[in-house]
Amino acid sequence: MVLKAFFPTCCASADSGLLVGRWVPEQSSAVVLAVVHFPFIPIQVKELLAQVQQASQVGVTVLGTWCHRRQEPEESLGHFLEGLGAIFSHKPWFQLCRERGSKSWSCKTTRWQGPASPAASGEDQVMLIFYDQRKVLLSQLHPPAALPDRQAGDTTASAGGLAAVFDTVARSEALFQSDQFDEGPVRLSHWQSEGVEASILVELAKWAAGPVCLFLTCLLSLVSAASACRVFKLWPLSFIWSKLSTCEQLRHRLEQLTLIFSTRKAKNPAQLMRKANMLASVLLDVALGLMLLSWLHRKDLIGQLADTLIPVADLRLLVVAVQGLIHLLVDLINSLPLYSLGLRLCRPYRLAAGVKFRVLEHETGRPLRLLMQINPLPYSRVVHIYRLPTCGCHPKHSWGSLCRKLFFGELIYPWRQRGNKQD
C-alpha cells in the first residue's frame, strides 16, 4: 500500500519532535501541519491539540515522530521516539528522519496493535510530498477546468484529491497562531517559525475598519432613505430620473457601496473576493472621473469643445459616439474583476487551478520525494469566475441605427420624424 505524507518545507530544519497534522483515510495520506519540539509534556500536547480541534473543527492529531540528525543520534533518543507511539497511538505511525550531513530522508510506518505491542512493519511504501505551507494556506483551490500543459517530469493531480489537503491547512489557522518564540509550554515549528508575521499598520487598519464601516453604513442608509422619498417619485422628477443615466449609475454605485461597507463578515472566500473587486471598481471609477473632470476644466476645454462641435452638423454624431464609448468604458469598469486580476498578476498562487508534482529524488530503498507546486488559474477563468454584474446602462442605439438617423436627418434634428418631412 502506498501512503502519502505531505510535509511542509518550513519544517525541514526543525528540531526533533512530534509530527502534528491530520490523517485523511480516504486518500491514504497524512498532512503534516507542524512539528512539536523536545522537551514537552504529553498531556500539554494533547490539550493543545484539543483546543485546535475545537477552534478549527479539524481532526488534528499526532501522526508520528520527526528526527533531524544534526549530530550522531543517541540510543536513548531513538528508544524515546519509538516509545512515543504508545502514548500517542495512531494508525499508521510515521517515523520520518533526515540524515545527518546529506539530503537523504528515511521514512517508515508502523501499525500499532495495542498500547504496548507494535505489529510488524508492513509493506507500506511512503511517498514524501513537500509543500509550501504559506502558499497553500492562502490559496483557494478552483476546479481545474483548463489546466496548463504538462511539463517534462511533472504530473498533474485532480482537485478532488487535493481539496482535503488545502482545506486542512486553511482551517488549521488556529495552530499557526503560536510559534517557537511564544512562552507557552509547547514549542512548534510551522510557516511562522521565524516569528509571527504581523505589521503595526495592518493591525491598526483592522482596528479602524470596524468603526469606519459602521459610520459609512449609517450614512449610506440615510442616503438610501432620502432617495426613496415620495417627492422623487412624483412627475416630472420620476421621468427625469428614469431618463438620466447618471441616476442609474448612482443607484448602482449606492448598492455596491452598501455591500462593501457592510459590517457583516464575508461567508466564504468568493464573497470576500467579490467585495474586493467592487471596491477596486469603485476606486478606479472615481479616479478616472476626477482625472477627466480636471482635464476638461483645465484651460476651459469644455468651452472650446462646445464652440468646435456646435456649428458642425456631424453635434451630434460625434457626441453620441463619445457618450456610447463612455457608457462602454463604465460598464467595463463595473464588470471587470480588477482585484482578482491584480491578485493573479502579483500573487498567482492565491488563485489555484490545481497542482503539479516535480520529482526531487528517487533512490532505491528511500521514499520518493516530490515537490508540490501550485498551478495558477488562467486569466480567462479569473474573468469568467469573478466577473461582476453590470448596471445595465448600455447604449440605446447601435452604429447602424445612428448612421441611418444621420442620413435621414433625425440625428441632427431629433424633433423631426420621417413622416413630417416635406420636399
Side-chain angles (χ1 to χ4, degrees):
M1 184 177 181
V2 178
L3 303 180
K4 297 182 291 292
F6 290 86
F7 190 81
T9 55
C10 55
C11 296
S13 59
D15 297 334
S16 300
L18 296 176
L19 297 175
V20 175
R22 177 192 176 192
W23 171 251
V24 186
E26 58 271 12
Q27 302 295 334
S28 298
S29 60
V31 184
V32 180
L33 299 173
V35 174
V36 179
H37 298 171
F38 291 120
F40 58 83
I41 301 176
I43 188 61
Q44 294 176 343
V45 176
K46 292 183 178 181
E47 291 177 355
L48 174 63
L49 297 183
Q51 295 175 3
V52 174
Q53 290 182 12
Q54 184 178 4
S56 61
Q57 301 299 321
V58 177
V60 181
T61 183
V62 177
L63 300 173
T65 58
W66 158 252
C67 180
H68 191 183
R69 296 176 176 173
R70 291 188 176 89
Q71 299 177 354
E72 289 295 336
E74 299 180 0
E75 294 296 333
S76 59
L77 179 60
H79 291 299
F80 180 68
L81 291 176
E82 294 179 358
L84 289 175
I87 302 177
F88 305 97
S89 58
H90 184 269
K91 182 181 180 180
W93 182 260
F94 289 85
Q95 292 178 333
L96 186 60
C97 182
R98 183 177 181 181
E99 302 295 338
R100 181 181 64 88
S102 66
K103 298 182 180 179
S104 300
W105 293 62
S106 63
C107 184
K108 63 179 181 179
T109 59
T110 306
R111 298 186 180 272
W112 298 89
Q113 299 290 351
S117 60
S121 298
E123 298 297 330
D124 295 339
Q125 297 180 359
V126 180
M127 184 183 301
L128 195 58
I129 302 174
F130 295 94
Y131 72 96
D132 192 321
Q133 197 172 62
R134 177 177 178 270
K135 291 183 178 181
V136 174
L137 172 66
L138 300 177
S139 297
Q140 182 183 359
L141 187 63
H142 298 74
L147 289 177
D149 296 335
R150 297 185 180 183
Q151 301 179 3
D154 296 335
T155 58
T156 55
S158 62
L162 294 169
V165 179
F166 278 76
D167 182 69
T168 298
V169 179
R171 293 168 56 189
S172 302
E173 193 173 1
L175 182 65
F176 306 141
Q177 293 179 355
S178 59
D179 59 273
Q180 64 179 357
F181 296 101
D182 285 347
E183 298 180 356
V186 180
R187 296 190 305 122
L188 302 175
S189 279
H190 43 74
W191 73 281
Q192 294 190 134
S193 298
E194 300 300 327
V196 178
E197 287 192 358
S199 172
I200 298 178
L201 297 179
V202 173
E203 294 299 328
L204 291 177
K206 290 181 180 179
W207 279 98
V212 171
C213 289
L214 183 60
F215 171 76
L216 292 178
T217 300
C218 296
L219 185 62
L220 291 174
S221 63
L222 293 178
V223 174
S224 300
S227 62
C229 185
R230 284 188 173 183
V231 178
F232 297 100
K233 296 182 180 180
L234 298 178
W235 195 90
L237 292 180
S238 59
F239 177 78
I240 296 176
W241 277 58
S242 63
K243 297 300 180 182
L244 291 179
S245 60
T246 305
C247 299
E248 294 294 328
Q249 285 288 332
L250 289 176
R251 180 186 61 80
H252 183 68
R253 286 304 187 190
L254 185 62
E255 295 177 356
Q256 287 187 336
L257 291 175
T258 304
L259 178 62
I260 290 173
F261 296 109
S262 175
T263 55
R264 295 181 180 179
K265 190 177 180 180
K267 298 180 180 179
N268 46 45
Q271 187 176 4
L272 180 62
M273 192 74 68
R274 184 184 179 189
K275 285 188 175 183
N277 287 324
M278 284 186 178
L279 180 60
S281 174
V282 170
L283 293 179
L284 181 62
D285 195 5
V286 171
L288 292 178
L290 293 177
M291 291 175 58
L292 180 61
L293 289 178
S294 63
W295 179 75
L296 290 176
H297 283 283
R298 186 173 53 186
K299 298 181 181 179
D300 196 19
L301 290 179
I302 297 180
Q304 296 179 13
L305 289 175
D307 296 338
T308 304
L309 296 178
I310 287 177
V312 183
D314 298 338
L315 308 104
R316 180 168 175 80
L317 177 63
L318 182 60
V319 171
V320 173
V322 172
Q323 184 182 14
L325 291 177
I326 293 177
H327 274 292
L328 292 177
L329 180 60
V330 172
D331 188 70
L332 179 63
I333 294 175
N334 287 339
S335 61
L336 199 63
L338 300 174
Y339 178 80
S340 300
L341 291 175
L343 198 64
R344 171 62 178 84
L345 179 63
C346 301
R347 297 289 188 272
Y349 59 87
R350 295 286 300 272
L351 304 175
V355 301
K356 59 184 178 182
F357 297 119
R358 183 165 60 89
V359 179
L360 294 178
E361 186 181 11
H362 183 40
E363 298 180 1
T364 305
R366 301 284 185 178
L368 177 62
R369 295 172 56 201
L370 303 176
L371 177 62
M372 188 178 75
Q373 298 175 336
I374 296 178
N375 284 330
L377 201 67
Y379 285 97
S380 59
R381 291 285 298 163
V382 173
V383 176
H384 177 72
I385 294 176
Y386 295 106
R387 189 179 182 87
L388 296 173
T390 60
C391 62
C393 298
H394 302 287
K396 299 180 179 180
H397 304 284
S398 63
W399 289 109
S401 63
L402 289 176
C403 293
R404 181 181 58 81
K405 290 185 177 183
L406 177 65
F407 179 77
F408 289 106
E410 299 176 7
L411 190 65
I412 303 174
Y413 305 101
W415 56 87
R416 298 182 59 181
Q417 304 296 327
R418 293 181 60 183
N420 299 332
K421 290 184 178 180
Q422 300 179 357
D423 294 337

